[in-house]
């Protein structure tokens, strides 16, 4: 509610709210994906086509990893 007020909305930018976030690529193994989540406090990581272009192609949530680890379809 308060962020929609003009004076307060100008005090905070999206960049200031962003967390340093590891990037995943489609080719990364399950192990590498788990490593990327180590120490990351967020629930979801972006998947980009490659580290150079960084075009967003999807995302992986911690819950997705749990499903993969238990072999859920």
């Amino acid at each position: 509610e308060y962020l929609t007020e003009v004076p307060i909305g100008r005090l905070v930018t999206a960049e200031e709210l962003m967390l340093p976030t590891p990037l995943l690529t489609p080719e990364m193994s399950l192990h590498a994906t788990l490593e990327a989540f180590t120490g990351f406090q967020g629930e979801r990581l972006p998947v980009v086509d490659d580290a150079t272009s960084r075009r967003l192609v999807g995302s992986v949530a911690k819950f997705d990893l749990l499903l993969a680890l238990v072999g859920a379809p």
Side-chain angles (χ1 to χ4, degrees), residues 28-48:
M28 290 179 80
S29 68
L30 179 59
H31 178 72
T33 301
L34 287 167
E35 288 290 320
F37 269 105
T38 302
F40 180 67
Q41 295 180 358
E43 290 297 317
R44 184 173 293 276
L45 288 177
V47 179
V48 296

Side-chain angles (χ1 to χ4, degrees), residues 9 25 29 39 49:
T25 61
S29 68
D49 57 354

Side-chain angles (χ1 to χ4, degrees), residues 10-33:
R10 289 186 187 153
L11 296 176
V12 179
T13 65
E15 182 178 19
E16 293 169 325
L17 297 173
M18 292 174 23
L19 298 173
T21 305
L23 299 177
L24 306 176
T25 61
E27 300 81 25
M28 290 179 80
S29 68
L30 179 59
H31 178 72
T33 301

